[in-house]
Amino acid sequence: MKRTTLSLFAGVTALAAITGFAAVSTPEATGADTSQPAARLPVERTSLLCPAPSTSDLAETTYTSFTPVTKGAEEKGGAALAVGTAKGGKETGEKTGKPVLEPKAPGTPVTGQTSGAGTPALVGTAEGSYAPGWTVQQTTEVAAGTGRGLQGVNCTAPDTEFWFPGASTASGRTDYVHLTNPDDSAAVVDIELYGKDGALKSTLGEGITVPPHASESLLLSTLSDVEQTDVTVHVGVRSGRVGAAVQALDDKTGGDWLPAAADPASSLVLPGIPKDATAVRLVLFTPGGTDADLKVRLASPSGPITPAGHETVHVNAGMTTGVDLGEITRGEAGSLVLTPTGGSVPVVAAVRVVRGKGGEQESAFIPAADPVGARATAADNRAKSTTLSLAATTEAAKVRITASAGTEGGTPASETYTIKGGTTQNVEAPVPTGLEGTYALTVETVSGGPVHASRTLTGQDDDVASFTVQALSDDRGTVSVPNADEDLSVLQR
């Protein structure tokens, strides 16, 4: 096994305690009028967790950290991403002998690299002006073997429940659930698997203990010996909180990270299926006791399209349903839009996308995603390798896209676009002037209806159609605060 090394970036701020909340102070009330609209203030602390990237000696991983500039944020604080944390947040990772990635000032991305197997999960906190919208992208290139290709994932905030439709226990797939605990006390987690006929019997997924400041990686096939092409994974936390992600590795089509899907809902959007996708498989699950019937539409550049033979899909309660949609995009940008045909039944969904043919295939996942909202960010963009997809599935919307400075130089650039209602557009996103290194893209909704977005990043291997897709959702960089004369603590994510 190669020894893992992580580039260190000097900074003046210590690694803060991993708390997962945003603290804000509200304006003083005058007593004359307490019915004013709630103010939106920048969050003051954000926590993120990155799973262990790979067990391959051929893996090359890049971490890219970026915080957009937020109006009203105090110009203080800092951020750090490290292997574990010092108890109480009193020491930096450097003092404890653990590598640390410390971002530059808001508006400028910074990167760190590791190579080989053995890189652990990373945890981190941003405070002050570094906190609102803090985004970290983990991108891994694996040259050969199971899971070869490009694997990317946005590092996420800790939570207590996650849904992963699109996993598998079939022969040829090696899927792991990664759990990371950022806190001082142990977390207790239950993992449930659901196949085409319902719950897969297993006692090994009950009461899993994740020690403080530690991570666990569990192979799905050890939780159940039943081989299933399509599996929905449910991660529920009994006590504490964790970060969770599924790493799906395929013998023939490479691999990628399967992020958690948006919370169960009756209407879902799966944004930005690559236009050259050669296979698209939709996987759905309804966690309630009622079957769901959904209309399936593809929001194309010209408007909504009903895929022939897949006008609707029926999802049995408590059972995972897989639908092979083939080459549904037919050379154009597209987003799947799922809406109920009748009653409202909450559903979770994701698509597995394949690019390439024969031995040159690669796969990635796009879960149902929340809208961009006020602002969302994609870090680790590379010149001529980035495609930004925007979908306005109900009504037209105006969107502002800003390219940050590069990690090694360049001047930010910004453009505004109008997306027609019911369409998906691959836009020519701006690139920093004089770009050196990689850069971040920030998407802001200016007006109109909700916008869903995703970023596709392609690899440098000309022999394989390597790629990874990340959906962009609201970064929750601000919170709504009542006009009251008191200090409040507001949950961040």
Side-chain angles (χ1 to χ4, degrees):
M1 180 181 297
K2 294 182 180 178
R3 180 181 179 184
T4 301
T5 58
L6 179 65
S7 299
L8 302 181
F9 291 81
V12 296
T13 59
L15 178 63
I18 305 297
T19 59
F21 66 84
V24 297
S25 297
T26 62
E28 291 188 3
T30 63
D33 182 8
T34 59
S35 62
Q36 296 179 8
R40 293 205 65 86
L41 299 179
V43 301
E44 294 181 356
R45 179 178 293 173
T46 299
S47 299
L48 294 177
L49 309 176
C50 306
S54 180
T55 58
S56 172
D57 285 337
L58 302 177
E60 300 286 340
T61 299
T62 300
Y63 296 91
T64 304
S65 172
F66 177 75
T67 299
V69 176
T70 300
K71 184 178 179 180
E74 291 189 60
E75 295 184 2
K76 65 176 185 179
L81 193 67
V83 180
T85 66
K87 290 187 180 297
K90 300 297 184 181
E91 298 178 343
T92 67
E94 290 173 305
K95 281 188 178 181
T96 58
K98 299 174 182 179
V100 176
L101 170 63
E102 294 186 294
K104 297 179 181 178
T108 302
V110 64
T111 62
Q113 292 82 31
T114 69
S115 61
T119 300
L122 302 184
V123 300
T125 288
E127 293 185 313
S129 60
Y130 290 73
W134 186 38
T135 301
V136 178
Q137 166 82 14
Q138 175 182 296
T139 308
T140 303
E141 295 191 58
V142 180
T146 299
R148 55 103 179 99
L150 199 63
Q151 301 176 23
V153 66
N154 284 326
C155 302
T156 58
D159 209 337
T160 57
E161 186 175 43
F162 306 84
W163 291 97
F164 300 97
S168 180
T169 57
S171 175
R173 277 280 289 272
T174 308
D175 288 17
Y176 295 86
V177 179
H178 289 254
L179 306 173
T180 304
N181 177 8
D183 295 326
D184 291 335
S185 58
V188 180
V189 178
D190 294 325
I191 299 177
E192 300 169 314
L193 307 181
Y194 297 90
K196 60 184 180 63
D197 299 317
L200 302 183
K201 292 183 178 180
S202 172
T203 59
L204 299 178
E206 297 179 1
I208 298 168
T209 298
V210 185
H213 308 294
S215 60
E216 297 285 347
S217 177
L218 297 100
L219 181 63
L220 290 191
S221 60
T222 64
L223 301 181
S224 174
D225 58 3
V226 179
E227 291 192 2
Q228 296 271 293
T229 300
D230 301 307
V231 171
T232 299
V233 179
H234 176 233
V235 176
V237 183
R238 293 189 200 177
S239 62
R241 59 192 185 138
V242 299
V246 170
Q247 190 174 35
L249 309 178
D250 192 284
D251 291 344
K252 295 181 179 179
T253 59
D256 209 340
W257 289 94
L258 169 60
D263 290 340
S266 58
S267 296
L268 301 171
V269 177
L270 295 82
I273 300 172
K275 64 181 183 180
D276 59 351
T278 53
V280 176
R281 186 169 182 83
L282 172 64
V283 182
L284 311 101
F285 179 80
T286 176
T290 305
D291 293 0
D293 289 285
L294 301 168
K295 295 179 183 178
V296 181
R297 300 291 183 270
L298 181 73
S300 73
S302 57
I305 296 174
T306 301
H310 300 292
E311 296 85 359
T312 61
V313 60
H314 179 78
V315 186
N316 291 319
M319 303 179 186
T320 299
T321 298
V323 181
D324 191 352
L325 301 178
E327 299 183 47
I328 187 173
T329 57
R330 299 187 181 278
E332 293 187 319
S335 300
L336 277 185
V337 181
L338 309 177
T339 55
T341 61
S344 176
V345 179
V347 177
V348 292
V351 291
R352 179 175 182 259
V353 179
V354 177
R355 294 175 69 234
K357 296 285 189 178
E360 299 181 0
Q361 296 181 85
E362 230 265 90
S363 57
F365 296 87
I366 306 172
D370 293 323
V372 165
R375 183 183 64 191
T377 298
D380 192 11
N381 296 284
R382 309 169 189 182
K384 300 181 180 180
S385 297
T386 294
T387 300
L388 185 63
S389 185
L390 304 177
T393 58
T394 55
E395 58 181 293
K398 183 177 290 186
V399 178
R400 180 185 300 110
I401 301 173
T402 302
S404 74
T407 53
E408 300 174 17
T411 303
S414 182
E415 294 285 348
T416 300
Y417 304 82
T418 297
I419 310 300
K420 295 181 180 179
T423 72
T424 298
Q425 308 289 337
N426 284 351
V427 300
E428 292 290 338
V431 176
T433 303
L435 171 65
E436 293 186 26
T438 64
Y439 61 101
L441 284 172
T442 301
V443 181
E444 300 172 272
T445 304
V446 177
S447 62
V451 175
H452 291 76
S454 69
R455 184 281 309 273
T456 299
L457 182 66
T458 56
Q460 300 177 356
D461 189 345
D462 294 333
D463 296 328
V464 178
S466 61
F467 73 114
T468 184
V469 183
Q470 280 73 53
L472 281 62
S473 296
D474 194 317
D475 63 23
R476 302 183 187 179
T478 60
V479 290
S480 181
V481 181
N483 186 26
D485 187 16
E486 60 179 342
D487 288 341
L488 301 177
S489 291
V490 184
L491 290 178
Q492 158 65 359
R493 275 186 276 192

